[in-house]
Amino acid sequence: MNLPSRNSRSHKGENGKVAVIAGSRDYTGAPALASKAALRTGSDLVKTLTSKDIQDTVASYSPNFIVRSYPGCYLSPNGVKPALELVRWADVTLMGPGLSKPDTEALKQIFQNSQTKWVIDADGIKPAIEVEVSNAIFTPHNGEVKYITDAYGSIESFVEQTGNVVVEKGSTDKIYSKNGVKENNTGTSAMTVGGTGDVLAGIIASLISQGLELQNAGYTGAVINGKAGERATETYGSGMLATDLIENIPGAMKNI
Ligand SMILES: NC(=O)C1=CN([C@@H]2O[C@H](COP(=O)(O)OP(=O)(O)OC[C@H]3O[C@@H](n4cnc5c(N)ncnc54)[C@H](OP(=O)(O)O)[C@@H]3O)[C@@H](O)[C@H]2O)[C@@H](O)CC1
Ligand SMILES: Nc1ncnc2c1ncn2[C@@H]1O[C@H](COP(=O)(O)OP(=O)(O)O)[C@@H](O)[C@H]1O
Ligand SMILES: [Mg+2]
């Protein structure tokens, strides 16, 4: 796979800076899965913003993480300022995995006061639709798609009206953009294990941080996620974990 070449004069951060705003008391894994996936996909720096009560837990998962926090157990109004600072630092921000019960108004303020590229997953999807976020790629599973279709009738009209990209996840992923729909059939049924969608979101964010356009990042990310899942399934079968998938990202990237 050809990403922008790493010339000898590149400096830290030049190969992608990703912000991950994710996690809560209810989900300590999601921010780590998304952050590690972004690093394994090749971003230089990933900064993870999560709730204070799980900051040390998430940081303890890897010395490769840079973990910041806002007070409390869930995203609330006091999370807006640190979030806006992090969004300004990053090339792209992943918002949503594991937020569980975020303060919707705070989430909307972050969207409305930022000019950036977004990957929006899980609990970030509904608020983002409601404030008409643009320059974004959404990654809903079959249950989360309803937030888009309830508001726009269909995914096609959503992408047409907003210019956003949607990866509708499933055994076949469908990547919708203004240029039409592309399908990805890579992957295995072992990938229904929890966390593989958090991993996909991290992969896509990383690709955008390394210079890919939204639609290309969505399709290529889905292919990488699936190929990494195939490799992990060869080793672990139905016992495959989302963490196994992450370790297979570099190998998967070599063969696409
Ligand atoms: N280790 C961690 O920290 C992990 C953290 N995670 C975080 O968990 C949060 C919730 O994620 P989630 O919506 O995927 O989970 P879950 O609460 O089962 O479903 C909620 C509702 O949606 C439905 N539904 C689900 N999938 C569906 C589908 N494919 N197609 C159709 N329907 C589907 C489901 O329906 P049901 O299965 O009950 O019939 C239920 O009604 C999210 O923030 C995520 O980031 C996860 O990534 C896992 C690992
Ligand atoms: N049968 C399958 N074959 C291939 N990939 C699958 C299959 N089922 C799910 N996936 C993949 O697994 C991921 C599931 O995403 P998601 O439901 O958000 O998981 P989670 O929220 O637990 O991380 C998606 O990337 C999807 O493409
Ligand atoms: Mg998910």
Side-chain angles (χ1 to χ4, degrees):
M1 168 177 186
N2 302 317
L3 281 166
S5 68
R6 295 189 164 219
N7 63 47
S8 57
R9 300 188 57 74
S10 65
H11 62 277
K12 192 197 317 267
E14 195 169 304
N15 296 294
K17 296 182 288 185
V18 175
V20 175
I21 304 177
S24 63
R25 161 162 295 185
D26 302 335
Y27 298 105
T28 56
L33 292 168
S35 300
K36 191 152 193 194
L39 289 165
R40 277 281 184 234
T41 306
S43 293
D44 272 353
L45 287 169
V46 177
K47 289 187 179 178
T48 309
L49 179 66
T50 193
S51 52
K52 178 67 186 162
D53 74 325
I54 65 163
Q55 177 178 15
D56 294 348
T57 302
V58 177
S60 73
Y61 293 139
S62 173
N64 300 292
F65 292 164
I66 301 169
V67 187
R68 303 283 182 267
S69 70
Y70 41 75
C73 306
Y74 302 98
L75 180 63
S76 59
N78 51 34
V80 174
K81 187 168 176 294
L84 293 177
E85 282 164 14
L86 195 59
V87 169
R88 273 196 294 276
W89 166 84
D91 301 311
V92 58
T93 296
L94 166 54
M95 173 72 84
L99 291 178
S100 188
K101 298 176 285 212
D103 175 289
T104 305
E105 278 322 302
L107 203 37
K108 290 179 176 180
Q109 266 190 46
I110 296 166
F111 286 132
Q112 289 171 314
N113 291 285
S114 302
Q115 282 298 322
T116 192
K117 293 176 185 170
W118 295 100
V119 178
I120 301 171
D121 182 39
D123 310 312
I125 292 174
K126 188 167 183 289
I129 299 294
E130 287 166 355
V131 295
E132 299 177 354
V133 168
S134 59
N135 223 358
I137 182 162
F138 288 77
T139 59
H141 57 51
N142 298 340
E144 294 155 339
V145 168
K146 72 176 183 313
Y147 299 128
I148 296 173
T149 49
D150 285 355
Y152 287 84
S154 69
I155 298 177
E156 289 86 347
S157 56
F158 172 69
V159 299
E160 198 48 49
Q161 289 178 47
T162 62
N164 290 323
V165 173
V166 175
V167 179
E168 184 187 17
K169 298 176 289 191
S171 48
T172 294
D173 299 320
K174 292 184 177 174
I175 296 87
Y176 296 78
S177 75
K178 279 190 148 179
N179 304 321
V181 188
K182 288 184 80 170
E183 291 194 350
N184 165 50
N185 289 298
T186 65
T188 71
S189 56
M191 291 173 67
T192 50
V193 68
T196 52
D198 304 324
V199 170
L200 172 66
I203 292 171
I204 293 174
S206 177
L207 294 175
I208 295 169
S209 80
Q210 297 182 67
L212 270 65
E213 290 303 312
L214 294 189
Q215 181 202 341
N216 189 12
Y219 176 72
T220 306
V223 171
I224 292 169
N225 200 43
K227 288 278 185 195
E230 288 169 8
R231 294 166 64 92
T233 306
E234 269 166 44
T235 311
Y236 295 102
S238 58
M240 181 199 92
L241 306 175
T243 41
D244 304 321
L245 198 158
I246 292 171
E247 297 314 309
N248 279 280
I249 289 170
M253 289 177 77
K254 282 202 192 93
N255 303 322
I256 60 168

